[in-house]
């Protein structure tokens, strides 16, 4: 008899989710679904408020990447004002954005994934967490804490607090960088760089152990989307949208950001509060010119660290550039790296890159310039703000009236864009490990690790209205709930 | 020394309170000697265990899953702390309270192709008509305000709780936001 397994909640991810595995009569995995169970309704309840409030409100979508929402929201605000913000303000925003990349990637790698990588995917679930890591590998745990703390401290020095700083505003930022903070960050940098190099060595040392996972976890062709600089370099704050396919063909070399709607559609499914964004042209092609929506899954694309390294032509800082070259060797020449397992590696490369950029930016004497804000009134009724959040490209679009009151809000969050790929990954791992309906706790954790690769920020993705815990349920072929697995 | 059974939970919130908790940085290493983390979004135990000494609860009560977990936490914890403004007041998640749930779902999902999600089945929990602060659904032993509470507050609270003393925040640390 066929059945459904439920993993509830999915843990060590940032949000509330469940996974259901649907088994056929032979106990083989027929389908797998990743459900987001939280819904909060930001887009709706922000209507009628002023766009000036949006950085502060949308930051509360997510405590892990509030800075990304601050950036996208402030940039949408800049567009409504119609101003070019002072150059120092733009560089300070970049600084904070890189700091966030460091803290968020450190959290993903050390706090959330290292327990799997170092203690073992199938190790004791009671210890397979940060506290267990502190116990067994205190030095690694301490490094992770220090590296995350570096990012959080930089954010705090710039914005006054590490979570939800009310610092970016339409037109620029509120406070300049003091000389004192600047030199303090400079003093903290060498340690952060050293920890990152050690983490890269650590990851390399586990490579042999995870050959199978590498080949299997999230390894399939898809499109990749991310920002690049006008020259094609790695970019996290501004630039152009690029889309590359699994052969390495560039489908969109550089679309201006406000035109994102031309290429991105959003589908919904009754079993998840998380929407399913897709690349429109591919879906339209698959539908032979019919409604793109009917074939939306053909427009599956991935965003985030792996995608960013796949779409850019170069990193542009010395150490990250060298690592990027090694990263590229993981795929046949000219092709993108298609296994999401390498997201761990991509994250560490991006940390390295961010630290190098932070160092470079602080060397510029203009960084402490006090001219950091442009003032204007509402000049445009639509504003689009796009930036790269740690998990991928983030879009905020606001329509306002002439008083700046929001009429319509659209947010496309990084994690949502990986929704199709996450579902595919869960299915891939489940199909490989589950034979004849036999499921162990360790296998369930492997499936969850498939989700952790995307470092989903479910609080973000369910800005719509919700939140997700992960559980596994097993349904039979008639759709009846047969079993529910919760690890304990 | 017996370790204190310590839990953290996450209802309808943004995880910012948990991030502020992780901002304790090296104090976490110290804490690891004193507590056993028996349940948390950063750990893998799926079912809230019995006999917990202290539980910090982030987030407001927004759906049936949140409500059930809150009740379970209350039944199985000696002391429950309302951790952060969402738990204490409803905060940002409760901004949806002026809108009807059905209208909200329709408005958010209507544009996409496909059928929009409806809570209430086995998997997607039904949304509560109003988002509620934690103390409206269970009895709470202490409140730790802030969005998120800063690390000094958290450390003051955790120290008091681990010593089994009442949590008395000085007035300057009783602020919201
Ligand atoms: S109180 Fe603030 S930081 Fe904590 S969960 Fe709520 S919005 Fe996030």
């Amino acid at each position: 008899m066929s059945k459904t397994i439920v993993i509830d909640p999915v843990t060590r991810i940032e949000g509330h989710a469940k996974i259901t595995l649907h088994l056929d009569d032979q106990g083989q995995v027929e389908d797998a679904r990743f459900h987001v169970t939280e819904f909060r309704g930001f887009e709706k309840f922000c209507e009628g408020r002023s766009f000036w409030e949006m950085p502060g409100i949308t930051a509360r979508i997510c405590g892990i990447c509030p800075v990304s929402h601050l950036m996208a929201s402030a940039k949408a605000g800049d567009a409504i004002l119609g101003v070019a913000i002072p150059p120092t303000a733009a560089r300070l925003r970049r600084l904070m954005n890189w700091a966030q990349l460091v803290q968020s990637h450190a959290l993903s790698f050390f706090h959330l994934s290292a327990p799997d990588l170092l203690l073992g995917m199938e190790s004791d679930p009671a210890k397979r967490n940060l506290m267990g890591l502190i116990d067994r590998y205190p030095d690694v745990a301490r490094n992770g804490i220090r590296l995350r703390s570096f990012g959080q401290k930089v954010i705090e020095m710039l914005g006054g607090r590490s979570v939800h700083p009310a610092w970016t505003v339409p037109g620029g930022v509120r406070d300049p960088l003091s000389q004192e903070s600047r030199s303090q960050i400079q003093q903290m940098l060498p340690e952060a760089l050293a920890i990152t190099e050690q983490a890269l060595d650590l990851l390399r040392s586990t490579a042999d152990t995870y050959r199978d996972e590498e080949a299997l976890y999230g390894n399939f062709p898809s499109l990749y989307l991310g920002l690049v600089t006008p020259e094609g370099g790695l970019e996290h704050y501004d630039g152009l949208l690029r889309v590359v396919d699994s052969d390495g063909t560039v489908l969109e070399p550089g679309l201006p950001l406000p035109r994102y709607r031309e290429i991105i559609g959003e589908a919904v499914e009754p079993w998840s509060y998380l929407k399913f964004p897709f690349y429109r042209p591919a879906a339209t092609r698959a539908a032979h010119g019919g409604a793109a929506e009917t074939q939306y899954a053909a427009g599956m694309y991935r965003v985030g660290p792996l995608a960013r390294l796949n779409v850019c032509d170069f990193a542009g800082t010395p150490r990250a550039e060298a690592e990027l070259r090694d990263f590229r060797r993981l795929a046949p020449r000219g092709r993108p790296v298609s296994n999401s397992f390498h997201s761990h590696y991509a994250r560490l490369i991006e940390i390295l890159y961010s630290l190098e950029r932070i160092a470079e930016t602080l060397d510029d004497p203009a960084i402490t310039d006090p001219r950091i804000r442009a003032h204007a009134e509402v000049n445009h009724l639509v504003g689009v703000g796009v930036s790269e959040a740690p998990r991928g490209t983030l879009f905020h679009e606001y329509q306002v009236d002439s008083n700046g009151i929001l009429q319509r809000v659209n947010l496309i969050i990084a994690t949502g864009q990986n929704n199709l790929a996450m579902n595919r990954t869960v299915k891939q791992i489940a199909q490989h490990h589950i034979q004849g309906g036999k499921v162990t706790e360790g296998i369930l954790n492997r499936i969850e690790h498939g989700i952790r690769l995307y470092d989903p920020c479910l609080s973000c993705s369910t800005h719509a209205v919700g939140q997700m815990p992960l559980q596994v349920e097993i349904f039979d072929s008639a759709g009846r709930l047969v079993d529910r697995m919760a690890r304990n | 020394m017996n370790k204190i059974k310590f839990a953290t939970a996450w209802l309808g919130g943004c995880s910012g309170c948990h991030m502020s908790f992780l901002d304790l940085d090296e104090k976490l290493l110290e804490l690891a000697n004193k507590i056993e983390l028996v349940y948390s979004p950063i750990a893998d135990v799926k079912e809230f265990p019995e006999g917990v000494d202290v539980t910090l609860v982030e987030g407001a009560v927004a759906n049936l899953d949140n409500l059930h977990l809150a009740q379970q936490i209350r039944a199985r914890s000696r002391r429950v702390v309302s951790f952060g403004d969402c738990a204490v007041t409803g905060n940002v998640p409760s901004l949806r309270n002026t809108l009807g749930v059905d209208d909200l779902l329709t408005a958010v999902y209507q544009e996409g192709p496909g059928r929009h999600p409806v809570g209430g089945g086995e998997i997607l929990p039904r949304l509560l008509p109003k988002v509620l602060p934690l103390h409206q659904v269970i009895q709470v032993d202490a409140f730790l305000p802030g969005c998120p509470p800063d690390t000094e507050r958290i450390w003051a609270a955790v120290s008091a709780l681990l010593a089994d003393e009442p949590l008395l925040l000085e007035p300057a640390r009783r602020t919201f936001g």
Side-chain angles (χ1 to χ4, degrees):
Chain A
M1 193 189 66
S2 61
K3 57 177 189 166
T4 299
I5 305 176
V6 181
I7 305 182
D8 174 20
V10 180
T11 45
R12 281 186 285 132
I13 57 168
E14 297 115 4
H16 300 253
K18 305 179 186 181
I19 290 173
T20 56
L21 306 173
H22 302 255
L23 308 187
D24 65 14
D25 293 341
Q26 280 69 50
Q28 304 297 106
V29 177
E30 205 168 56
D31 199 8
R33 282 173 178 179
F34 174 65
H35 309 261
V36 176
T37 61
E38 176 171 345
F39 171 90
R40 288 181 295 172
F42 273 84
E43 283 155 326
K44 207 61 210 161
F45 66 60
C46 288
E47 286 176 5
R49 307 189 81 98
S50 163
F51 77 101
W52 291 104
E53 285 185 284
M54 286 302 267
I57 294 180
T58 57
R60 264 79 182 175
I61 289 174
C62 177
I64 299 158
C65 53
V67 169
S68 305
H69 291 284
L70 287 170
M71 295 302 156
S73 185
K75 285 178 71 185
D78 300 341
I80 289 170
L81 301 179
V83 295
I85 68 170
T88 299
R91 312 199 71 192
L92 287 172
R93 283 187 188 172
R94 284 178 181 271
L95 205 56
M96 186 184 268
N97 207 36
W98 287 317
Q100 174 183 252
L101 216 58
V102 173
Q103 69 84 7
S104 176
H105 283 356
L107 175 80
S108 170
F109 183 75
F110 288 97
H111 299 59
L112 303 175
S113 292
D116 286 337
L117 297 175
L118 298 184
L119 302 174
M121 297 261 181
E122 308 199 7
S123 61
D124 178 3
K127 304 227 171 66
R128 204 173 46 210
N129 58 50
L130 178 63
M131 294 295 163
L133 198 67
I134 291 177
D135 211 34
R136 278 279 302 282
Y137 297 96
D139 294 344
V140 174
R142 181 185 302 271
N143 274 349
I145 287 170
R146 298 280 302 170
L147 188 58
R148 175 176 176 276
S149 171
F150 168 86
Q152 292 288 77
K153 289 219 175 86
V154 173
I155 295 171
E156 189 176 343
M157 279 184 235
L158 286 165
R161 58 198 294 188
S162 62
V163 181
H164 305 329
W167 177 72
T168 44
V169 283
V173 298
R174 276 190 217 274
D175 298 298
L177 178 68
S178 69
Q179 281 296 355
E180 201 189 329
S181 297
R182 176 189 176 193
S183 50
Q184 222 177 318
I185 301 170
Q186 283 170 326
Q187 280 160 23
M188 290 172 356
L189 270 166
E191 188 199 356
L193 276 162
I195 292 176
T196 311
E197 297 280 11
Q198 283 173 33
L200 281 159
D201 287 341
L202 184 70
L203 184 65
R204 279 187 203 108
S205 73
T206 65
D208 281 339
T209 319
Y210 292 109
R211 285 274 175 258
D212 293 347
E213 286 77 2
E214 223 180 86
L216 194 92
Y217 286 27
N219 187 11
F220 45 80
S222 79
L223 308 175
Y224 300 91
L225 178 145
L227 297 181
V228 290
T229 63
E231 299 75 32
L234 183 60
E235 170 66 68
H236 297 93
Y237 169 76
D238 206 13
L240 301 164
L241 271 180
R242 180 177 283 186
V243 179
V244 171
D245 74 8
S246 55
D247 297 327
T249 311
V250 179
L251 303 180
E252 303 283 346
L255 188 75
L257 304 179
R259 290 173 51 195
Y260 77 99
R261 274 182 173 285
E262 294 170 21
I263 61 165
I264 298 177
E266 288 184 281
V268 295
E269 291 286 357
W271 44 267
S272 180
Y273 284 128
L274 185 57
K275 291 181 181 178
F276 295 79
F278 58 93
Y279 177 65
R280 247 175 206 297
T284 308
R285 223 170 302 126
H288 301 293
E293 281 68 20
T294 60
Q295 295 295 329
Y296 78 85
M300 170 170 69
Y301 64 94
R302 283 183 264 192
V303 297
L306 188 82
R308 287 190 290 256
L309 295 191
N310 277 336
V311 300
C312 73
D313 298 327
F314 57 90
T317 62
R319 293 198 207 182
E321 195 61 50
E323 288 293 340
L324 181 61
R325 253 175 265 143
D326 280 351
F327 174 83
R328 294 248 152 103
R329 286 197 198 107
L330 295 167
R333 205 181 157 75
R335 292 191 177 222
V337 176
S338 64
N339 354 17
S340 286
F341 198 81
H342 293 308
S343 301
H344 294 310
Y345 184 25
R347 258 175 222 117
L348 294 180
I349 297 175
E350 284 200 322
I351 294 179
L352 201 56
Y353 171 84
S354 301
L355 293 171
E356 289 182 287
R357 285 290 188 212
I358 290 173
E360 191 184 283
T361 307
L362 290 176
D363 282 343
D364 179 356
I367 196 67
T368 51
D369 192 287
R371 260 178 310 269
I372 48 169
R373 191 163 175 183
H375 294 272
E377 313 247 315
V378 173
N379 286 304
H380 299 276
L381 299 183
V382 179
V384 174
V386 184
S387 73
E388 284 289 340
R391 289 148 195 85
T393 323
L394 170 67
F395 302 83
H396 281 213
E397 177 170 6
Y398 308 153
Q399 286 174 29
V400 295
D401 68 8
S402 54
N403 295 314
I405 301 302
L406 290 156
Q407 309 297 307
R408 211 170 157 284
V409 174
N410 190 43
L411 311 173
I412 301 183
I413 267 74
T415 295
Q417 298 167 81
N418 284 328
N419 202 359
L420 283 165
M422 286 191 288
N423 274 280
R424 180 78 170 263
T425 301
V426 165
K427 187 167 167 184
Q428 190 172 44
I429 300 175
Q431 281 182 330
H432 179 82
H433 288 294
I434 299 180
Q435 306 291 340
K438 252 192 74 211
V439 186
T440 61
E441 192 281 335
I443 291 179
L444 294 185
N445 186 51
R446 288 174 172 280
I447 296 169
E448 285 178 87
H449 190 87
I451 294 295
R452 279 175 212 127
L453 291 175
Y454 297 90
D455 189 24
C457 192
L458 302 179
S459 31
C460 273
S461 19
T462 58
H463 64 286
V465 198
Q467 169 179 347
M468 18 189 203
L470 191 59
Q471 69 183 13
V472 174
E473 294 183 344
I474 311 196
F475 293 96
D476 65 16
S477 47
R480 280 179 302 250
L481 182 69
V482 188
D483 197 4
R484 182 173 300 201
M485 302 269 310
R487 275 185 312 212
N488 219 341
Chain B
M1 189 186 94
N2 261 351
K3 286 189 174 181
I4 307 252
K5 289 195 190 312
F6 190 86
T8 73
W10 176 359
L11 309 179
C14 79
S15 75
C17 293
H18 272 83
M19 291 306 115
S20 198
F21 181 80
L22 291 180
D23 282 346
L24 287 174
D25 294 346
E26 272 104 329
K27 291 207 177 79
L28 293 171
L29 304 171
E30 201 179 307
L31 210 55
N33 290 321
K34 297 187 183 147
I35 62 161
E36 184 190 342
L37 188 67
V38 292
Y39 181 92
S40 171
I42 63 158
D44 283 348
V45 174
K46 303 292 187 192
E47 169 96 13
F48 197 86
E50 304 273 358
V52 178
D53 293 303
V54 176
T55 305
L56 303 185
V57 182
E58 173 196 306
V61 183
N63 63 32
L64 279 183
D65 278 2
N66 296 158
L67 180 64
H68 293 151
L69 182 57
Q71 287 164 340
Q72 218 169 37
I73 288 170
R74 179 66 277 176
R76 298 177 180 182
S77 320
R78 213 155 47 81
R79 299 174 83 181
V80 176
V81 183
S82 215
F83 179 35
D85 288 353
C86 289
V88 177
T89 71
N91 199 25
V92 173
S94 68
L95 289 177
R96 80 148 155 95
N97 285 358
T98 51
L99 306 163
V101 167
D102 289 346
D103 295 350
L104 192 62
L105 282 173
T106 313
V108 170
Y109 295 102
Q110 68 188 358
E111 289 184 1
R115 284 181 298 140
H116 79 67
V118 217
E122 287 279 351
I123 303 294
L124 290 191
R126 191 179 294 284
L127 301 175
L128 299 182
K130 301 266 186 249
V131 174
L132 303 171
L134 189 62
H135 62 271
Q136 287 201 3
V137 304
I138 60 168
Q139 198 203 319
V140 167
D141 303 302
F143 295 89
L144 197 55
C147 180
D150 60 41
T151 46
E152 280 95 67
R153 263 178 223 201
I154 297 176
W155 191 243
V158 168
S159 308
L161 293 161
L162 294 189
D164 215 2
E165 284 161 8
L167 168 53
L168 292 174
L169 287 181
E170 55 189 81
R173 294 203 169 131
R174 291 182 207 156
T175 52
F176 292 116

